[in-house]
Amino acid sequence: MLKKGDAAPVFTAKASLAGNEFNFSLKKSLAKGPVVVYFYPSAYTGGCDAEAHSFAEMKDKFTAAGATIIGVSGDDIKRLNTFSADPDYCAGKFAVASDSEGKIAATYGLTINPSKLGMKDIRGIELNHGFIPRTTYVIGKNGKIIAVFSSETDHISPIEHVEKSLAIVKAL
């Protein structure tokens, strides 16, 4: 896993904002200010839903601090189109990107955990993609990682990812 002070790998990815697909560019977003890149296991699962909802609720505070939020998961873009527009989760307030092949996660040093046969989301739909460990990177405008935290190593909740990210970007 990359650490504080490392250069953040730039990436482009298919993403969705309010149900509309577009190409997200980390490089273009960094030109505007800091970016919170948060990796999460899967849309429509407990912790990920709570995290997305919390980011949506706090979006105005991130914007006031000049920060962009981008969620990244192994979900396909069709699934993310629905999730990004869902008023209970992303609520059309920030983008989520598809890393269905795990290439972005790999550049950040994250290992994808394979899906478990028969595992379903909260809607009863079977999950057929790997799961990226919940890890958040706060990246400065200069492209350097300012902070990184992981639920696996730091033992923090999905909501704490949002709160810690916000505190960091507000302090910049």
Side-chain angles (χ1 to χ4, degrees), residues 51-116:
E51 186 175 28
H53 181 76
S54 187
F55 268 118
E57 284 187 324
M58 306 274 196
K59 170 64 168 72
D60 291 343
K61 292 178 181 179
F62 280 93
T63 300
T68 299
I69 303 163
I70 181 71
V72 181
S73 73
D75 293 295
D76 64 36
I77 196 65
K78 182 179 176 194
R79 196 171 153 81
L80 292 177
N81 283 336
T82 306
F83 189 63
S84 73
D86 195 315
D88 292 329
Y89 308 114
C90 302
K93 294 193 175 189
F94 66 94
V96 283
S98 175
D99 187 20
S100 58
E101 295 177 11
K103 291 179 180 177
I104 299 167
T107 66
Y108 280 76
L110 303 174
T111 304
I112 295 187
N113 301 310
S115 64
K116 294 180 176 87

Side-chain angles (χ1 to χ4, degrees), residues 98-164:
S98 175
D99 187 20
S100 58
E101 295 177 11
K103 291 179 180 177
I104 299 167
T107 66
Y108 280 76
L110 303 174
T111 304
I112 295 187
N113 301 310
S115 64
K116 294 180 176 87
L117 190 63
M119 189 172 184
K120 296 182 179 181
D121 69 15
I122 61 167
R123 303 170 304 162
I125 296 173
E126 193 164 333
L127 297 171
N128 59 1
H129 61 81
F131 303 105
I132 302 171
R134 187 177 321 283
T135 310
T136 301
Y137 293 88
V138 180
I139 304 166
K141 191 173 179 172
N142 64 357
K144 299 281 187 194
I145 296 170
I146 296 168
V148 58
F149 30 96
S150 160
S151 288
E152 288 183 351
T153 57
D154 299 315
H155 310 291
I156 61 173
S157 73
I159 305 302
E160 287 174 303
H161 280 261
V162 179
E163 293 166 345
K164 287 175 79 94

